[in-house]
Amino acid sequence: MDRFLDKGQHDILMNDVKTDYSKSDGIKLIGAGLPRTGTLSLKTALTQLYSGRCYHMLDVFTGDQEDVYVWVKAVRGEMKPQDWKEYFGKKNYATGVDFPFSLFYKDIMAAYPDAKVVLSTRDPKTWHGSVFNSIYQIKVLVKRHPTVPLLLGLFDRRNPSVLNMQEVMGNTVPHGCEVSFTEAIEGGPKVAEKFFNDWEAEVRRTVPSENLLVASAKEGWAPLCNFLGLPVPENDYPRVNDTASIQKMIRNIWLINGFVFYVVPASIAVGTYLFRAELAPVVQTVVKTVLGCKDMAMERLFKFNTV
């Protein structure tokens, strides 16, 4: 999946790879916000504040088999507190936001009871449109073009795949909600708005108020740094245009899929037709060779059976 990422997304991940972070002693902050609530901007901000890696869906796209399988196990209820500690410890993460991380904020809280929790938020009425016009379009693309999973499989050999993981998680109904993430988006703006509000209400019920910050990206550094007891950086709060990056990634997948599964086969078919006269002798030679090999094999088999 990393081959299809926008340059901005790729640069964020490459910064993680190139930076030599000190060894993390565990997850210090848990992002419990839904996707499309400024999570990529928050990831960038937390990476700077903690000088450590922050988990995000992009990390799954560029990760290894474990970065997929661990979340499939989590959906099945197979991840225990020690499993989370071993996983994030081995990967050296200090914080985490966005799905799949935030979908399991309760389980991760059980593994890291001292971690603070940030509920990234936005206007519930605009959330459906933001999701539908960005990350949900991957699902739309797969539905319209059955060859897309084949294309992604050519570049990402993991099994289960990221698409498998997203399908399983998207059909999971979170605690406190009446529908799944996928059903919320497919149900339209009203259903999505209720899902959003139910999700946030459940987070507020679950996390002790003294350990919870509810904030939007528009508020900048101040509420986040005050909550964490950290100095406010001199630079502006990160403003990552996630929508444009995701749309560009989806367009890249669509273009490459069209080229590999439509343009190339059509070109071969047209070329074969136009040069059929020149290709005929070659085809005849190949056919004779194959048939000759078949006859030889049958002859040897016959001799072997008569011995």
Side-chain angles (χ1 to χ4, degrees), residues 52-140:
R53 301 186 71 195
C54 178
Y55 204 94
H56 185 277
M57 179 60 88
L58 288 182
D59 295 80
V60 180
F61 286 164
T62 59
D64 55 25
Q65 183 64 66
E66 188 178 18
D67 289 303
V68 174
Y69 190 56
V70 70
W71 303 109
V72 175
K73 288 177 62 179
V75 171
R76 297 172 182 165
E78 298 174 0
M79 289 293 290
K80 307 303 180 187
Q82 187 58 35
D83 297 326
W84 290 115
K85 290 180 180 179
E86 291 177 2
Y87 173 67
F88 290 120
K90 179 169 57 177
K91 300 283 185 174
N92 200 32
Y93 283 98
T95 59
V97 298
D98 196 60
F99 273 15
F101 187 95
S102 61
L103 181 61
F104 300 98
Y105 72 92
K106 291 183 181 181
D107 296 342
I108 299 173
M109 282 175 60
Y112 300 97
D114 295 330
K116 293 182 177 295
V117 179
V118 172
L119 175 60
S120 51
T121 189
R122 63 176 297 152
D123 181 357
K125 295 184 182 300
T126 65
W127 182 69
H128 175 270
S130 179
V131 174
F132 187 84
N133 293 318
S134 57
I135 56 178
Y136 187 75
Q137 289 305 306
I138 296 177
K139 191 175 184 69
V140 172

Coordinates of all heavy atoms in Angstrom, one line a residue, residues 52-140:
G52 N 8.9 10.7 19.9 CA 8.7 9.2 19.7 C 7.7 8.9 18.7 O 6.9 9.8 18.2
R53 N 7.6 7.7 18.3 CA 6.7 7.2 17.2 C 5.2 7.2 17.7 O 4.9 6.9 18.8 CB 7.1 5.8 16.7 CG 8.5 5.7 16.2 CD 8.7 4.3 15.6 NE 8.0 4.2 14.4 CZ 7.8 3.0 13.8 NH1 8.3 1.9 14.3 NH2 7.1 2.9 12.6
C54 N 4.4 7.6 16.8 CA 2.9 7.6 17.0 C 2.2 6.7 16.0 O 2.4 6.9 14.8 CB 2.4 9.1 16.9 SG 0.6 9.2 17.2
Y55 N 1.5 5.7 16.5 CA 0.8 4.8 15.6 C -0.4 5.4 14.9 O -1.2 6.2 15.5 CB 0.3 3.6 16.5 CG 0.2 2.3 15.6 CD1 1.2 1.4 15.6 CD2 -1.0 2.1 14.9 CE1 1.1 0.2 14.8 CE2 -1.1 0.9 14.2 CZ -0.1 0.0 14.1 OH -0.2 -1.1 13.4
H56 N -0.6 5.1 13.6 CA -1.7 5.6 12.8 C -1.9 4.6 11.7 O -1.1 3.7 11.4 CB -1.2 7.0 12.2 CG -2.2 7.7 11.4 ND1 -2.5 7.4 10.1 CD2 -3.1 8.7 11.8 CE1 -3.4 8.3 9.7 NE2 -3.8 9.1 10.7
M57 N -3.1 4.7 11.0 CA -3.4 3.8 10.0 C -2.3 3.7 8.9 O -2.0 2.7 8.3 CB -4.7 4.2 9.3 CG -5.1 3.3 8.1 SD -5.3 1.5 8.6 CE -7.0 1.5 9.1
L58 N -1.6 4.9 8.7 CA -0.5 4.9 7.7 C 0.6 3.9 8.1 O 1.3 3.3 7.2 CB 0.1 6.3 7.6 CG -0.7 7.4 6.9 CD1 0.0 8.7 6.8 CD2 -1.1 6.9 5.5
D59 N 0.8 3.7 9.4 CA 1.8 2.7 9.8 C 1.4 1.3 9.5 O 2.3 0.4 9.2 CB 2.0 2.9 11.3 CG 2.6 4.2 11.7 OD1 1.8 5.2 11.8 OD2 3.8 4.3 11.9
V60 N 0.1 1.0 9.4 CA -0.4 -0.3 9.0 C -0.1 -0.5 7.5 O 0.4 -1.5 7.0 CB -1.9 -0.4 9.2 CG1 -2.3 -1.8 8.8 CG2 -2.2 -0.3 10.7
F61 N -0.3 0.6 6.7 CA -0.1 0.5 5.2 C 1.3 0.1 4.9 O 1.6 -0.6 4.0 CB -0.4 1.9 4.6 CG -1.9 2.1 4.5 CD1 -2.4 3.4 4.2 CD2 -2.9 1.2 4.7 CE1 -3.7 3.7 4.1 CE2 -4.2 1.4 4.6 CZ -4.6 2.7 4.3
T62 N 2.3 0.7 5.7 CA 3.7 0.5 5.4 C 4.3 -0.6 6.3 O 5.5 -0.8 6.2 CB 4.4 1.8 5.5 OG1 4.3 2.3 6.9 CG2 3.9 2.8 4.6
G63 N 3.5 -1.2 7.2 CA 4.1 -2.1 8.1 C 4.3 -3.6 7.6 O 4.3 -3.8 6.4
D64 N 4.5 -4.5 8.5 CA 4.7 -5.9 8.2 C 3.4 -6.7 8.5 O 2.4 -6.1 8.8 CB 5.9 -6.5 8.9 CG 5.8 -6.3 10.4 OD1 4.6 -6.2 10.9 OD2 6.8 -6.3 11.1
Q65 N 3.5 -8.0 8.4 CA 2.4 -8.9 8.6 C 1.8 -8.7 10.0 O 0.5 -8.7 10.1 CB 2.7 -10.3 8.3 CG 1.6 -11.3 8.5 CD 0.5 -11.1 7.4 OE1 0.8 -11.3 6.2 NE2 -0.7 -10.6 7.8
E66 N 2.6 -8.5 10.9 CA 2.1 -8.4 12.3 C 1.3 -7.1 12.5 O 0.3 -7.1 13.3 CB 3.3 -8.3 13.3 CG 2.9 -8.3 14.8 CD 4.1 -8.3 15.7 OE1 5.2 -7.9 15.3 OE2 3.9 -8.7 16.9
D67 N 1.6 -6.1 11.7 CA 0.8 -4.8 11.8 C -0.6 -5.0 11.2 O -1.4 -4.1 11.4 CB 1.5 -3.7 11.0 CG 2.8 -3.2 11.7 OD1 2.7 -2.8 12.9 OD2 3.9 -3.3 11.1
V68 N -0.9 -6.1 10.6 CA -2.3 -6.4 10.2 C -2.9 -7.4 11.1 O -4.0 -7.2 11.6 CB -2.3 -6.9 8.7 CG1 -3.7 -7.4 8.3 CG2 -1.8 -5.9 7.7
Y69 N -2.1 -8.4 11.4 CA -2.7 -9.6 12.1 C -3.0 -9.2 13.6 O -4.0 -9.7 14.1 CB -1.7 -10.7 12.1 CG -2.3 -12.0 12.6 CD1 -3.4 -12.6 12.1 CD2 -1.7 -12.7 13.7 CE1 -4.0 -13.7 12.6 CE2 -2.2 -13.9 14.2 CZ -3.4 -14.4 13.6 OH -3.9 -15.5 14.1
V70 N -2.3 -8.3 14.2 CA -2.5 -8.0 15.5 C -3.9 -7.3 15.7 O -4.6 -7.6 16.7 CB -1.4 -7.0 16.1 CG1 -1.5 -5.6 15.4 CG2 -1.5 -6.8 17.6
W71 N -4.4 -6.6 14.7 CA -5.7 -6.0 14.8 C -6.8 -6.9 14.5 O -7.9 -6.8 15.0 CB -5.7 -4.7 13.8 CG -4.7 -3.8 14.2 CD1 -3.6 -3.5 13.4 CD2 -4.6 -3.0 15.4 NE1 -2.8 -2.6 14.1 CE2 -3.4 -2.2 15.3 CE3 -5.4 -2.8 16.5 CZ2 -3.0 -1.3 16.3 CZ3 -5.0 -1.9 17.5 CH2 -3.8 -1.2 17.4
V72 N -6.5 -7.9 13.6 CA -7.5 -9.0 13.4 C -7.7 -9.8 14.7 O -8.8 -10.1 15.0 CB -7.0 -9.9 12.2 CG1 -8.0 -11.1 12.0 CG2 -6.9 -9.1 10.9
K73 N -6.6 -10.0 15.4 CA -6.7 -10.7 16.6 C -7.4 -9.9 17.7 O -8.2 -10.4 18.5 CB -5.3 -11.0 17.2 CG -4.5 -12.1 16.4 CD -3.1 -12.3 17.0 CE -3.1 -12.7 18.5 NZ -1.7 -12.9 19.0
A74 N -7.3 -8.6 17.6 CA -8.0 -7.7 18.5 C -9.5 -7.8 18.3 O -10.3 -7.8 19.3 CB -7.5 -6.3 18.4
V75 N -9.9 -7.8 17.1 CA -11.3 -7.9 16.8 C -11.9 -9.2 17.4 O -13.0 -9.3 17.8 CB -11.6 -7.9 15.2 CG1 -13.0 -8.2 14.9 CG2 -11.2 -6.5 14.7
R76 N -11.1 -10.3 17.3 CA -11.5 -11.6 17.9 C -11.4 -11.6 19.4 O -11.8 -12.6 20.0 CB -10.6 -12.7 17.3 CG -10.7 -12.9 15.8 CD -9.6 -13.9 15.3 NE -9.5 -14.0 13.9 CZ -8.5 -14.6 13.2 NH1 -7.5 -15.1 13.9 NH2 -8.6 -14.7 11.9
G77 N -10.9 -10.6 20.0 CA -10.8 -10.6 21.4 C -9.6 -11.4 22.0 O -9.6 -11.8 23.1
E78 N -8.6 -11.6 21.1 CA -7.5 -12.4 21.5 C -6.2 -11.7 22.0 O -5.2 -12.3 22.3 CB -7.1 -13.3 20.2 CG -8.2 -14.2 19.8 CD -7.8 -14.9 18.5 OE1 -6.7 -14.7 17.9 OE2 -8.6 -15.7 18.0
M79 N -6.3 -10.3 22.1 CA -5.2 -9.5 22.5 C -5.3 -9.2 24.0 O -6.3 -8.6 24.4 CB -5.1 -8.2 21.7 CG -4.6 -8.4 20.3 SD -2.9 -9.0 20.1 CE -2.0 -7.5 20.7
K80 N -4.4 -9.7 24.8 CA -4.4 -9.4 26.3 C -3.4 -8.3 26.5 O -2.6 -7.9 25.7 CB -3.9 -10.7 27.0 CG -4.6 -12.0 26.7 CD -6.1 -11.8 26.9 CE -6.9 -13.1 26.6 NZ -8.3 -12.9 26.7
P81 N -3.5 -7.7 27.7 CA -2.7 -6.5 28.1 C -1.2 -6.8 27.8 O -0.5 -5.9 27.2 CB -2.9 -6.3 29.6 CG -4.4 -6.7 29.7 CD -4.5 -7.9 28.8
Q82 N -0.7 -7.9 28.1 CA 0.7 -8.2 27.9 C 1.0 -8.3 26.4 O 2.1 -7.9 26.0 CB 1.1 -9.6 28.5 CG 2.6 -9.9 28.5 CD 3.4 -8.8 29.1 OE1 3.0 -8.2 30.1 NE2 4.6 -8.5 28.6
D83 N 0.0 -8.7 25.6 CA 0.2 -8.8 24.1 C 0.4 -7.4 23.6 O 1.3 -7.2 22.7 CB -0.9 -9.5 23.5 CG -1.1 -10.9 23.9 OD1 -0.1 -11.6 24.1 OD2 -2.3 -11.4 24.0
W84 N -0.4 -6.5 24.0 CA -0.3 -5.1 23.6 C 1.1 -4.5 24.0 O 1.7 -3.8 23.2 CB -1.4 -4.2 24.2 CG -2.8 -4.5 23.7 CD1 -3.8 -5.0 24.4 CD2 -3.3 -4.3 22.4 NE1 -4.9 -5.1 23.6 CE2 -4.6 -4.6 22.3 CE3 -2.7 -3.8 21.2 CZ2 -5.4 -4.6 21.2 CZ3 -3.4 -3.7 20.0 CH2 -4.8 -4.1 20.0
K85 N 1.5 -4.8 25.2 CA 2.8 -4.3 25.7 C 3.9 -4.8 24.8 O 4.9 -4.1 24.5 CB 3.0 -4.6 27.1 CG 2.1 -3.9 28.1 CD 2.3 -4.3 29.5 CE 1.4 -3.5 30.5 NZ 1.6 -4.0 31.9
E86 N 3.9 -6.1 24.5 CA 4.9 -6.7 23.7 C 4.9 -6.1 22.3 O 6.0 -5.8 21.7 CB 4.8 -8.2 23.7 CG 5.0 -8.9 25.0 CD 4.8 -10.4 24.9 OE1 4.4 -10.9 23.8 OE2 4.9 -11.1 26.0
Y87 N 3.8 -5.9 21.7 CA 3.7 -5.4 20.4 C 4.2 -4.0 20.3 O 5.1 -3.7 19.4 CB 2.2 -5.5 19.9 CG 2.0 -4.9 18.6 CD1 2.5 -5.4 17.4 CD2 1.2 -3.7 18.5 CE1 2.3 -4.8 16.2 CE2 0.9 -3.1 17.2 CZ 1.5 -3.6 16.1 OH 1.2 -3.0 14.9
F88 N 3.6 -3.1 21.1 CA 4.0 -1.7 21.0 C 5.5 -1.5 21.5 O 6.2 -0.6 21.0 CB 3.1 -0.8 21.8 CG 1.7 -0.7 21.1 CD1 0.6 -1.1 21.8 CD2 1.6 -0.2 19.8 CE1 -0.7 -1.0 21.2 CE2 0.3 -0.1 19.3 CZ -0.8 -0.5 20.0
G89 N 5.9 -2.3 22.4 CA 7.3 -2.2 22.9 C 8.3 -2.6 21.8 O 9.3 -1.9 21.6
K90 N 8.0 -3.7 21.1 CA 8.8 -4.1 20.0 C 8.9 -3.1 18.9 O 9.9 -2.9 18.3 CB 8.3 -5.5 19.5 CG 9.1 -6.1 18.4 CD 8.7 -7.5 18.1 CE 7.2 -7.6 17.8 NZ 6.9 -9.0 17.5
K91 N 7.7 -2.5 18.6 CA 7.7 -1.5 17.5 C 8.1 -0.1 18.0 O 8.3 0.8 17.1 CB 6.2 -1.4 17.0 CG 5.7 -2.7 16.5 CD 6.2 -3.0 15.1 CE 5.6 -4.2 14.5 NZ 6.0 -4.5 13.1
N92 N 8.3 0.1 19.3 CA 8.8 1.3 19.8 C 7.9 2.5 19.6 O 8.3 3.6 19.2 CB 10.2 1.6 19.3 CG 11.0 2.6 20.2 OD1 10.8 2.6 21.4 ND2 11.8 3.5 19.5
Y93 N 6.6 2.3 19.9 CA 5.7 3.4 19.9 C 5.4 4.0 21.2 O 5.4 3.3 22.2 CB 4.3 2.9 19.3 CG 4.4 2.7 17.8 CD1 4.6 1.4 17.3 CD2 4.2 3.8 16.9 CE1 4.6 1.2 15.9 CE2 4.2 3.6 15.6 CZ 4.4 2.3 15.1 OH 4.5 2.1 13.7
A94 N 5.3 5.4 21.2 CA 5.0 6.1 22.5 C 3.6 6.6 22.6 O 3.1 6.8 23.7 CB 6.0 7.3 22.6
T95 N 2.9 6.7 21.4 CA 1.5 7.2 21.4 C 0.8 6.5 20.2 O 1.5 5.8 19.4 CB 1.5 8.7 21.2 OG1 2.1 9.1 20.0 CG2 2.2 9.5 22.4
G96 N -0.5 6.7 20.1 CA -1.2 6.2 19.0 C -2.5 6.9 18.8 O -3.2 7.4 19.8
V97 N -3.0 7.0 17.5 CA -4.2 7.7 17.2 C -4.8 7.0 16.0 O -4.2 6.2 15.4 CB -4.0 9.2 16.8 CG1 -3.4 10.0 18.0 CG2 -3.0 9.3 15.6
D98 N -6.1 7.4 15.7 CA -6.8 6.9 14.5 C -7.1 5.4 14.5 O -6.6 4.7 15.4 CB -5.9 7.2 13.2 CG -6.6 7.1 11.9 OD1 -7.6 7.9 11.7 OD2 -6.3 6.3 11.0
F99 N -8.0 5.0 13.7 CA -8.2 3.5 13.5 C -7.0 2.9 12.9 O -6.3 3.6 12.1 CB -9.4 3.3 12.6 CG -10.7 3.3 13.3 CD1 -10.9 3.7 14.5 CD2 -11.9 2.8 12.6 CE1 -12.1 3.7 15.2 CE2 -13.1 2.8 13.2 CZ -13.2 3.2 14.5
P100 N -6.6 1.7 13.2 CA -7.2 0.8 14.1 C -7.0 1.0 15.6 O -7.7 0.4 16.4 CB -6.7 -0.6 13.7 CG -5.3 -0.2 13.2 CD -5.4 1.1 12.5
F101 N -6.0 1.8 15.9 CA -5.6 2.0 17.3 C -6.8 2.5 18.2 O -7.0 1.9 19.2 CB -4.5 3.1 17.3 CG -3.8 3.3 18.7 CD1 -2.7 2.6 19.0 CD2 -4.4 4.2 19.6 CE1 -2.1 2.8 20.3 CE2 -3.8 4.4 20.8 CZ -2.6 3.7 21.2
S102 N -7.5 3.5 17.7 CA -8.5 4.1 18.6 C -9.7 3.2 18.7 O -10.5 3.3 19.7 CB -9.0 5.5 18.0 OG -9.5 5.4 16.7
L103 N -9.9 2.3 17.8 CA -11.1 1.4 17.9 C -10.9 0.5 19.2 O -11.9 0.0 19.7 CB -11.1 0.5 16.7 CG -12.3 -0.5 16.6 CD1 -13.7 0.2 16.7 CD2 -12.2 -1.4 15.3
F104 N -9.7 0.3 19.6 CA -9.4 -0.6 20.8 C -8.9 0.2 21.9 O -8.0 -0.3 22.7 CB -8.5 -1.7 20.3 CG -9.0 -2.6 19.2 CD1 -8.6 -2.3 17.9 CD2 -9.9 -3.5 19.5 CE1 -9.2 -3.1 16.9 CE2 -10.5 -4.3 18.5 CZ -10.1 -4.1 17.2
Y105 N -9.3 1.5 22.1 CA -8.7 2.3 23.1 C -9.0 1.7 24.5 O -8.1 1.9 25.4 CB -9.3 3.7 23.0 CG -10.8 3.9 23.5 CD1 -11.1 4.2 24.8 CD2 -11.8 3.7 22.5 CE1 -12.4 4.4 25.2 CE2 -13.1 3.8 22.9 CZ -13.4 4.2 24.2 OH -14.8 4.3 24.6
K106 N -10.1 1.0 24.7 CA -10.4 0.4 26.0 C -9.4 -0.7 26.4 O -8.9 -0.7 27.5 CB -11.8 -0.1 26.1 CG -12.9 0.9 26.0 CD -14.3 0.3 26.1 CE -15.4 1.3 26.1 NZ -16.7 0.7 26.2
D107 N -9.1 -1.5 25.4 CA -8.2 -2.6 25.6 C -6.8 -2.1 25.8 O -6.0 -2.6 26.7 CB -8.1 -3.5 24.4 CG -9.4 -4.2 24.1 OD1 -10.3 -4.3 25.0 OD2 -9.7 -4.7 23.0
I108 N -6.4 -1.0 25.1 CA -5.1 -0.4 25.3 C -5.0 0.3 26.6 O -3.9 0.3 27.3 CB -4.7 0.5 24.1 CG1 -4.8 -0.3 22.8 CG2 -3.4 1.1 24.2 CD1 -4.6 0.5 21.5
M109 N -6.1 0.9 27.1 CA -6.1 1.5 28.4 C -5.8 0.5 29.5 O -5.1 0.8 30.5 CB -7.4 2.2 28.6 CG -7.6 3.6 27.9 SD -9.3 4.2 28.2 CE -9.4 4.3 30.0
A110 N -6.4 -0.7 29.3 CA -6.2 -1.8 30.3 C -4.7 -2.2 30.4 O -4.2 -2.5 31.4 CB -7.0 -3.0 29.9
A111 N -4.0 -2.1 29.2 CA -2.6 -2.4 29.2 C -1.7 -1.3 29.7 O -0.7 -1.5 30.3 CB -2.2 -2.8 27.8
Y112 N -2.2 0.0 29.6 CA -1.4 1.1 30.0 C -2.4 2.1 30.8 O -2.8 3.1 30.3 CB -0.9 1.9 28.8 CG 0.0 1.1 27.9 CD1 -0.5 0.5 26.7 CD2 1.4 1.0 28.2 CE1 0.3 -0.3 25.9 CE2 2.2 0.2 27.4 CZ 1.7 -0.4 26.2 OH 2.5 -1.2 25.4
P113 N -2.7 1.7 32.0 CA -3.6 2.4 32.9 C -3.2 3.8 33.2 O -4.0 4.7 33.6 CB -3.7 1.6 34.1 CG -2.5 0.7 34.2 CD -2.1 0.5 32.7
D114 N -1.9 4.1 33.1 CA -1.4 5.5 33.4 C -1.4 6.4 32.2 O -1.1 7.6 32.3 CB 0.0 5.4 34.0 CG 0.0 4.7 35.4 OD1 -1.0 4.7 36.1 OD2 1.1 4.0 35.7
A115 N -1.7 5.9 31.1 CA -1.7 6.7 29.8 C -2.8 7.7 29.8 O -3.9 7.4 30.3 CB -1.8 5.8 28.6
K116 N -2.6 8.9 29.3 CA -3.6 9.9 29.2 C -4.4 9.6 27.9 O -3.8 8.9 27.0 CB -3.0 11.3 29.1 CG -2.4 11.7 30.5 CD -1.8 13.2 30.4 CE -1.3 13.6 31.8 NZ -2.4 13.7 32.8
V117 N -5.6 10.2 27.8 CA -6.4 9.9 26.6 C -6.9 11.2 26.0 O -7.3 12.1 26.7 CB -7.7 9.1 27.0 CG1 -8.5 8.8 25.8 CG2 -7.3 7.7 27.6
V118 N -6.7 11.3 24.7 CA -7.2 12.5 23.9 C -8.3 12.0 22.9 O -8.1 11.1 22.1 CB -6.0 13.1 23.1 CG1 -6.6 14.2 22.2 CG2 -5.0 13.7 24.1
L119 N -9.4 12.7 23.1 CA -10.5 12.4 22.2 C -10.5 13.6 21.1 O -11.0 14.7 21.4 CB -11.9 12.4 22.9 CG -13.1 12.3 22.1 CD1 -13.1 11.0 21.2 CD2 -14.4 12.3 23.0
S120 N -9.9 13.3 20.0 CA -9.9 14.3 18.9 C -11.3 14.4 18.3 O -12.0 13.4 18.1 CB -8.9 14.0 17.8 OG -9.1 12.6 17.4
T121 N -11.8 15.6 18.1 CA -13.2 15.8 17.7 C -13.4 16.8 16.6 O -12.4 17.4 16.2 CB -14.1 16.2 18.9 OG1 -15.5 16.2 18.6 CG2 -13.7 17.6 19.4
R122 N -14.6 16.9 16.1 CA -14.9 17.9 15.1 C -16.5 18.1 15.1 O -17.2 17.4 15.9 CB -14.5 17.4 13.7 CG -15.2 16.1 13.3 CD -14.8 15.7 11.9 NE -15.2 16.6 10.9 CZ -14.6 16.8 9.7 NH1 -13.5 16.1 9.4 NH2 -15.0 17.7 8.9
D123 N -17.0 18.9 14.2 CA -18.4 19.0 14.1 C -19.1 17.7 13.6 O -18.8 17.2 12.5 CB -18.8 20.1 13.1 CG -20.2 20.4 12.9 OD1 -21.1 19.7 13.5 OD2 -20.6 21.3 12.2
P124 N -19.9 17.1 14.4 CA -20.5 15.8 14.0 C -21.3 15.9 12.7 O -21.3 14.8 12.0 CB -21.5 15.5 15.2 CG -21.0 16.3 16.3 CD -20.4 17.5 15.7
K125 N -21.8 17.0 12.4 CA -22.6 17.1 11.2 C -21.8 17.1 9.9 O -22.3 16.8 8.8 CB -23.4 18.4 11.2 CG -24.5 18.5 12.3 CD -25.3 19.8 12.2 CE -26.3 19.8 13.3 NZ -27.3 18.7 13.3
T126 N -20.5 17.4 10.0 CA -19.6 17.4 8.8 C -18.8 16.1 8.7 O -18.1 15.9 7.7 CB -18.7 18.6 8.8 OG1 -17.8 18.4 10.0 CG2 -19.5 19.9 8.9
W127 N -18.9 15.2 9.7 CA -18.0 14.1 9.8 C -18.3 13.1 8.6 O -17.4 12.6 8.0 CB -18.2 13.4 11.1 CG -17.3 12.2 11.3 CD1 -15.9 12.1 11.4 CD2 -17.7 10.8 11.3 NE1 -15.5 10.8 11.5 CE2 -16.6 10.0 11.5 CE3 -19.0 10.2 11.3 CZ2 -16.6 8.6 11.6 CZ3 -19.0 8.8 11.4 CH2 -17.8 8.0 11.5
H128 N -19.6 12.8 8.4 CA -20.0 11.9 7.3 C -19.4 12.3 6.0 O -18.8 11.5 5.3 CB -21.5 11.8 7.2 CG -21.9 10.9 6.1 ND1 -22.2 11.4 4.8 CD2 -22.2 9.5 6.0 CE1 -22.5 10.4 4.0 NE2 -22.5 9.3 4.7
G129 N -19.5 13.5 5.6 CA -19.0 14.0 4.3 C -17.5 13.8 4.2 O -17.0 13.5 3.2
S130 N -16.8 14.1 5.4 CA -15.4 14.0 5.4 C -14.9 12.5 5.2 O -14.0 12.3 4.4 CB -14.8 14.5 6.7 OG -13.4 14.4 6.8
V131 N -15.6 11.6 5.9 CA -15.3 10.2 5.7 C -15.6 9.7 4.3 O -14.8 9.0 3.6 CB -16.0 9.3 6.8 CG1 -15.8 7.9 6.5 CG2 -15.5 9.7 8.2
F132 N -16.8 10.0 3.9 CA -17.3 9.5 2.6 C -16.5 10.0 1.4 O -16.2 9.2 0.5 CB -18.8 10.0 2.4 CG -19.4 9.3 1.2 CD1 -20.0 8.1 1.2 CD2 -19.4 10.0 -0.1 CE1 -20.5 7.5 0.1 CE2 -20.0 9.4 -1.2 CZ -20.5 8.2 -1.1
N133 N -16.0 11.2 1.5 CA -15.2 11.7 0.4 C -13.7 11.4 0.5 O -12.9 11.9 -0.4 CB -15.4 13.3 0.3 CG -16.8 13.6 -0.1 OD1 -17.4 13.0 -1.0 ND2 -17.4 14.7 0.6
S134 N -13.3 10.6 1.5 CA -11.9 10.3 1.6 C -11.7 8.8 1.8 O -11.8 8.0 0.8 CB -11.3 11.1 2.8 OG -12.0 10.8 4.0
I135 N -11.6 8.3 3.0 CA -11.3 6.9 3.2 C -12.3 6.0 2.8 O -12.0 4.8 2.4 CB -10.9 6.7 4.7 CG1 -12.1 7.1 5.6 CG2 -9.7 7.4 5.1 CD1 -11.9 6.8 7.1
Y136 N -13.6 6.3 2.8 CA -14.6 5.4 2.3 C -14.5 5.1 0.8 O -15.0 4.1 0.3 CB -16.0 6.0 2.7 CG -17.1 5.0 2.4 CD1 -17.3 3.9 3.2 CD2 -17.9 5.1 1.3 CE1 -18.3 2.9 2.9 CE2 -18.9 4.2 1.0 CZ -19.1 3.1 1.8 OH -20.1 2.2 1.5
Q137 N -13.9 6.0 0.1 CA -13.8 5.9 -1.4 C -12.9 4.7 -1.7 O -13.0 4.1 -2.9 CB -13.2 7.1 -2.0 CG -14.2 8.3 -2.0 CD -15.6 7.9 -2.7 OE1 -15.6 7.4 -3.8 NE2 -16.7 8.1 -2.0
I138 N -12.1 4.2 -0.8 CA -11.3 3.0 -1.0 C -12.3 1.8 -1.2 O -12.2 0.9 -2.1 CB -10.3 2.7 0.1 CG1 -9.3 3.8 0.2 CG2 -9.6 1.3 -0.1 CD1 -8.3 3.7 1.3
K139 N -13.3 1.8 -0.3 CA -14.3 0.7 -0.3 C -15.1 0.8 -1.6 O -15.4 -0.2 -2.2 CB -15.2 0.8 0.9 CG -16.1 -0.4 1.1 CD -16.9 -0.2 2.4 CE -17.8 -1.5 2.6 NZ -17.0 -2.7 2.9
V140 N -15.4 2.0 -2.0 CA -16.2 2.2 -3.3 C -15.4 1.7 -4.5 O -15.9 1.1 -5.4 CB -16.5 3.7 -3.4 CG1 -17.1 4.0 -4.8 CG2 -17.5 4.2 -2.3

